[in-house]
Amino acid sequence: MNAMRRTYLTLSEEDKDYLKTLSKKRTIQAQIVDRAKILLYKSDGMTFNAIAEKLAISSATVRLCVSKYYEGGIEKALFDTQRPGRPSEITDDAKAWIINLACQRPVELGYAQELWTLNALHKHIQKHAEEAGYPRLTTITKPYIQKFLKEQDIKPFKIRYYCEKRDQDFESKMHEVLLVYKQIEMQFDENGTLIVPDDYKLTITVSYDEKPGIQAISNTAPDLRPTTENGEVYRDAEYKRLGTLSLLAGIDLLTGEAIPLVSETHKSSDFIEFLKIRDKKYPLQDTIRIILDNHSAHTSKETQRFLDTMPKGRFKFVFTPKHGSWLNMIESFFSKMTKQMLRGIRVKTKQELEERIYQYFEEVNREPVVYHWKYKMDEIEKKKCCTELWMPFSAH
């Protein structure tokens, strides 16, 4: 009884959150609400008589509740021992039910949202716990759910993207692309000098792709350049859209030359125009090998008719597998171009955007960079997710 004479109860923050939740509920017995309030008031140092007067109950009831707390904790103080089906703690089955809910899509449970929020998951658990056979969870707190999911390393509130391998021939196509990179490596000597065969017949390899939808955006007011007082560029939040352009581009993997073609579209006719530019660039005895994806423009009848007019073996296509764009070295160039030149770009006309894109390529080609694949064949095949392999090549 000595413990009962203390002026306060020492409760953990989790216990306080639990009791506060109970004290505000209107769907449980009134005596349980009163008992929760008794423990909270006692933790604040209120006397038995003050608590009894505040709740309009007898001081004996207050004393009994506190006594049961010291005997068996919160559960014993709140709930009568004869109360059926009231477990003293959250069971493993109840925890498994929480995990199952957290791993489901809310839309499949009748909600409009795609991802859970902590608040929505908490409400769903409290609402359906009784019918699921876990009445203890009707009073579960949000901090407990947050802590529990963190312990289980479950994050139903976040999305992490990856690339699904939907190509049945993914491995074989990947192997073919990597073999091309290996062959390119063999075309250089130990000093990095290109080895020219005696017959002067070379296999030129071009890493190719399109970058459609490059937006031409103009300002509605001139930018304010940095000053000693304001060190940043200040720009009016309003802007005007002038349309879009498509960039068809390749990298000569032997020389590092970046090859651009800016167009209004990226149809078969545009792709054919790019091939014609390459055909004029290289000697007739060379083979032009192009690494590219399976875009319809690359495999269309129109493109095939053009290829049929070329000398046999002039062009050879090596297709990357679906969702395997990371295997194509041009992706590194596009990423670099976006960061260096396209980010935040403003122009007065679409023509200016086109001119600046060509200017960028001219600047790059003044000091061309030869790209080399840096993963070995056996290393790349051990990788399972393309997000782990983003831009796995180096420039020298």
Side-chain angles (χ1 to χ4, degrees):
M1 295 297 292
N2 289 336
M4 292 177 58
R5 295 192 183 96
R6 295 174 185 171
T7 58
Y8 62 91
L9 294 179
T10 302
L11 299 174
S12 67
E13 290 301 318
E14 185 176 347
D15 286 343
K16 287 183 179 180
D17 289 338
Y18 176 44
L19 292 172
K20 288 177 182 177
T21 300
L22 288 180
S23 68
K24 297 175 182 178
K25 290 185 72 68
R26 298 293 180 265
T27 57
I28 58 176
Q29 296 176 341
Q31 62 182 10
I32 296 177
V33 174
D34 284 346
R35 292 169 184 175
K37 291 179 178 179
I38 289 171
L39 297 179
L40 286 171
Y41 290 149
K42 195 59 183 170
S43 71
D44 291 335
M46 291 180 63
T47 64
F48 293 147
N49 290 335
I51 296 173
E53 183 178 352
K54 187 174 184 65
L55 297 178
I57 57 178
S58 67
S59 60
T61 300
V62 177
R63 289 175 180 274
L64 179 61
C65 178
V66 176
S67 176
K68 286 184 176 182
Y69 171 79
Y70 285 114
E71 290 175 9
I74 286 180
E75 298 293 330
K76 187 173 180 62
L78 294 175
F79 307 107
D80 298 329
T81 54
Q82 68 271 22
R83 189 174 189 272
R86 184 75 194 191
S88 59
E89 61 181 11
I90 299 176
T91 64
D92 290 340
D93 286 344
K95 293 177 180 179
W97 183 70
I98 295 174
I99 293 174
N100 180 57
L101 284 178
C103 293
Q104 293 187 56
R105 295 173 66 203
V107 67
E108 294 174 353
L109 297 174
Y111 300 97
Q113 64 208 65
E114 180 68 20
L115 297 180
W116 286 113
T117 62
L118 180 60
N119 186 55
L121 181 59
H122 176 238
K123 288 182 177 179
H124 183 88
I125 290 173
Q126 287 192 322
K127 182 177 180 180
H128 298 279
E130 189 85 38
E131 62 189 67
Y134 308 109
R136 168 66 178 83
L137 298 183
T138 58
T139 58
I140 196 172
T141 64
K142 282 193 287 187
Y144 176 86
I145 296 174
Q146 188 175 37
K147 179 181 178 182
F148 173 69
L149 292 179
K150 184 177 181 180
E151 291 172 349
Q152 305 302 314
D153 197 24
I154 295 175
K155 303 172 183 177
F157 323 113
K158 296 183 178 180
I159 294 178
R160 184 173 182 177
Y161 290 92
Y162 75 103
C163 291
E164 183 71 21
K165 293 182 180 180
R166 293 193 174 90
D167 195 328
Q168 294 181 349
D169 301 321
F170 190 97
E171 298 297 334
S172 62
K173 290 180 179 178
M174 178 180 70
H175 183 86
E176 184 178 3
V177 174
L178 297 179
L179 185 59
V180 169
Y181 293 149
K182 185 64 176 179
Q183 291 170 349
I184 294 172
E185 182 181 326
M186 296 172 64
Q187 289 183 260
F188 294 88
D189 62 20
E190 58 184 12
N191 297 318
T193 303
L194 180 64
I195 301 172
V196 180
D198 293 337
D199 58 5
Y200 291 94
K201 291 183 179 180
L202 284 173
T203 296
I204 309 296
T205 304
V206 176
S207 174
Y208 169 87
D209 201 3
E210 295 98 0
K211 188 175 182 63
I214 301 176
Q215 292 196 41
I217 299 176
S218 67
N219 283 337
T220 56
D223 287 344
L224 302 179
R225 304 308 301 174
T227 64
T228 54
E229 290 78 18
N230 299 303
E232 300 173 317
V233 175
Y234 277 75
R235 173 174 288 170
D236 188 354
E238 293 188 8
Y239 57 87
K240 183 179 180 181
R241 298 179 187 272
L242 305 176
T244 61
L245 292 174
S246 292
L247 170 63
L248 294 76
I251 299 176
D252 185 327
L253 299 184
L254 295 183
T255 65
E257 179 191 10
I259 310 144
L261 175 62
V262 180
S263 175
E264 293 282 343
T265 59
H266 57 288
K267 301 183 296 184
S268 296
S269 57
D270 302 305
F271 178 55
I272 292 171
E273 182 62 27
F274 181 87
L275 296 180
K276 289 179 179 179
I277 295 173
R278 292 298 88 200
D279 181 51
K280 294 178 181 178
K281 170 74 175 179
Y282 302 113
L284 291 177
Q285 72 266 21
D286 291 347
T287 296
I288 305 173
R289 180 170 53 187
I290 300 183
I291 301 173
L292 70 175
D293 60 26
N294 282 276
H295 189 279
S296 58
H298 308 158
T299 58
S300 67
K301 293 180 179 179
E302 185 178 355
T303 298
Q304 188 56 51
R305 284 195 296 268
F306 167 76
L307 294 175
D308 291 340
T309 65
M310 292 287 99
K312 186 177 180 181
R314 177 58 166 168
F315 285 99
K316 179 181 179 182
F317 290 174
V318 179
F319 292 103
T320 58
K322 292 181 180 178
H323 286 194
S325 61
W326 47 273
L327 283 164
N328 205 340
M329 292 189 183
I330 189 67
E331 297 297 335
S332 174
F333 181 87
F334 282 160
S335 177
K336 181 180 178 181
M337 178 181 178
T338 299
K339 294 176 182 178
Q340 290 184 342
M341 179 252 178
L342 293 178
R343 184 173 65 91
I345 191 170
R346 291 293 186 268
V347 294
K348 296 179 181 179
T349 63
K350 284 176 65 175
Q351 179 64 31
E352 181 187 345
L353 176 61
E354 179 178 343
E355 291 171 355
R356 289 177 65 176
I357 291 175
Y358 279 122
Q359 180 182 354
Y360 176 78
F361 276 78
E362 290 175 2
E363 293 171 357
V364 168
N365 287 330
R366 288 172 192 158
E367 297 181 9
V369 175
V370 178
Y371 289 80
H372 296 282
W373 186 268
K374 69 179 182 180
Y375 276 90
K376 296 179 181 179
M377 299 281 280
D378 54 347
E379 290 175 339
I380 194 71
E381 290 173 354
K382 292 178 182 178
K383 302 293 185 179
K384 295 182 179 179
C385 180
C386 67
T387 54
E388 299 175 3
L389 297 168
W390 185 245
M391 283 178 264
F393 38 80
S394 60
H396 301 289

